[in-house]
Amino acid sequence: MSDLEAKPSTSSSTEPVRVVGPRPPPSFGQIGAVIGIVLIHVGTIVAFTRDFTWKLVALAAATYFVRMFAITGVYHRYFSHRSYKTSRFFQLVLAFLGTTATQKGPLWWASTHRVHHRFSDTERDVHSPMQFGFWQSHMGWWLGREHEHTDFDKIPDFASFPELRWLDRNHAVGPAVMGTALYLIGGLDAFLWGYVVSTCVLMHATFTINSLAHIFGSRRYATTDTSRNNFWLALITLGEGWHNNHHHYMNSVNQGFFWWEIDVSYYALRGMSAVGLVWDLRKPSPQVLKRNLLKEVGEQSPLLLKQAAARAAKQKPELHVPLDMQPDAPPPGIG
């Protein structure tokens, strides 16, 4: 029997017939993504074997922070959640800046992220560590065929702009322009540190929100997923580590809800708002900040209910019953 033919069913006639077919080979896009990631890591190793200078480290840090903002403040908070407004021209400028982070186009990134929020921590989530484990949630999902192409139906608000669709198709233009400019300005070392090393660190730092921010940290709000707030992840991602806050109110321009929650991307957006580049920054109301507090309503995540019950059982004080009141105790004065 051919692999493409239906296998005879031995179960009841109400069950669907399963058709087994050959697994499709990796696509050109998948192969290119794997090669690119391998080259980024090899290039990072090469950079550390050459002459080290603090000037190169500063260059890598600068390009890291600018492009981390492009992911967190632009791809995430603007294109995914529309947490502020801007002009059509500056929207294109921000989108191009986002492509230099080498995480595909703005429409692909945002449409995929919207799927994550819609099905967070379920089997239909894009990158749930609770469902798929560390590797798949950190990087494996990014290389998968099922997430290779942009689903424009999930982002009709921005897919209506032809310039954004072009940039999304040609997202490699941004990294190419950036890498070429660094090489022409500072030579091979500037390219290796300003683009390669910076991109390698940027990629893994960004992906930790997918793989670690649902496992390590604290929960303030009783969301139905497993999102957590993590101070250290917030530092390296310019504010994205306040992930439980974000899943509580995803349209907020600030993910650090309180003054002590450092959110550098929000500070940058406030500065841009002050000079008129962006406006209508959406923030959670006082009512939103007090709604669904975990300490008041209890755990709501199906994946964490058992853990919450176990912790509650451990914290519950034992009830000490006097000996003469215990059901098996002998009557007073006997024995």
Side-chain angles (χ1 to χ4, degrees):
M1 176 180 287
S2 168
D3 286 340
L4 295 176
E5 296 178 11
K7 303 282 187 181
S9 175
T10 58
S11 58
S12 64
S13 59
T14 58
E15 294 184 4
V17 177
R18 182 182 179 187
V19 178
V20 180
R23 189 172 184 176
S27 67
F28 177 79
Q30 287 177 286
I31 296 173
V34 171
I35 293 175
I37 288 176
V38 170
L39 290 177
I40 286 293
H41 286 80
V42 171
T44 299
I45 296 173
V46 171
F48 280 93
T49 62
R50 295 171 62 86
D51 291 338
F52 172 90
T53 67
W54 286 109
K55 185 177 180 180
L56 291 172
V57 174
L59 175 63
T63 55
Y64 170 88
F65 283 109
V66 169
R67 294 187 298 154
M68 179 60 81
F69 169 78
I71 291 295
T72 62
V74 179
Y75 271 20
H76 189 197
R77 305 189 197 192
Y78 180 70
F79 285 109
S80 298
H81 297 295
R82 305 193 67 168
S83 63
Y84 59 91
K85 295 179 182 178
T86 188
S87 66
R88 182 170 180 175
F89 171 75
F90 198 60
Q91 170 183 275
L92 180 60
V93 172
L94 291 174
F96 176 80
L97 181 64
T99 62
T100 65
T102 322
Q103 294 187 23
K104 301 187 181 181
L107 303 183
W108 176 87
W109 203 104
S111 63
T112 305
H113 186 72
R114 290 179 181 185
V115 173
H116 164 63
H117 273 272
R118 185 176 181 182
F119 302 108
S120 185
D121 277 328
T122 70
E123 291 182 352
R124 299 180 66 181
D125 193 351
V126 180
H127 41 61
S128 169
M130 306 297 287
Q131 295 286 348
F132 312 120
F134 174 81
W135 164 253
Q136 182 66 18
S137 62
H138 188 74
M139 185 177 291
W141 71 274
W142 199 69
L143 301 173
R145 173 174 287 235
E146 62 272 26
H147 308 300
E148 183 179 0
H149 301 292
T150 304
D151 187 346
F152 294 110
D153 291 337
K154 291 183 172 59
I155 189 163
D157 43 349
F158 289 111
S160 61
F161 295 97
E163 65 271 23
L164 292 180
R165 293 176 75 108
W166 182 91
L167 189 63
D168 195 73
R169 290 193 306 271
N170 300 280
H171 54 82
V173 171
V177 170
M178 178 182 176
T180 301
L182 286 168
Y183 182 81
L184 293 176
I185 294 172
L188 179 60
D189 286 323
F191 168 75
L192 287 174
W193 283 88
Y195 176 74
V196 177
V197 174
S198 176
T199 299
C200 186
V201 179
L202 173 68
M203 175 177 61
H204 287 293
T206 305
F207 290 167
T208 59
I209 301 301
N210 304 332
S211 58
L212 300 181
H214 282 251
I215 298 178
F216 300 107
S218 60
R219 287 171 57 78
R220 174 184 289 125
Y221 297 104
T223 57
T224 56
D225 51 65
T226 63
S227 57
R228 299 173 184 273
N229 289 335
N230 188 301
F231 170 79
W232 300 108
L233 295 183
L235 283 184
I236 65 174
T237 60
L238 308 188
E240 298 293 293
W242 308 116
H243 203 52
N244 180 241
N245 292 352
H246 174 57
H247 273 260
H248 173 64
Y249 187 65
M250 61 182 156
N251 299 119
S252 177
V253 71
N254 58 315
Q255 295 188 16
F257 285 174
F258 302 96
W259 66 265
W260 61 86
E261 295 178 334
I262 299 173
D263 188 349
V264 176
S265 289
Y266 170 58
Y267 308 151
L269 289 168
R270 283 187 59 182
M272 293 165 65
S273 176
V275 296
L277 292 174
V278 301
W279 54 87
D280 290 351
L281 277 61
R282 300 172 66 176
K283 297 184 63 177
S285 65
Q287 292 75 24
V288 169
L289 294 178
K290 298 178 181 178
R291 188 175 63 207
N292 283 342
L293 290 170
L294 188 69
K295 63 182 181 181
E296 294 181 357
V297 303
E299 184 58 73
Q300 303 294 308
S301 169
L303 293 173
L304 296 177
L305 283 173
K306 290 184 179 180
Q307 299 177 21
R311 286 195 299 270
K314 290 182 179 180
Q315 295 173 357
K316 185 177 180 180
E318 295 183 4
L319 181 62
H320 296 284
V321 180
L323 182 62
D324 58 357
M325 296 181 63
Q326 295 181 14
D328 295 331
I334 299 178

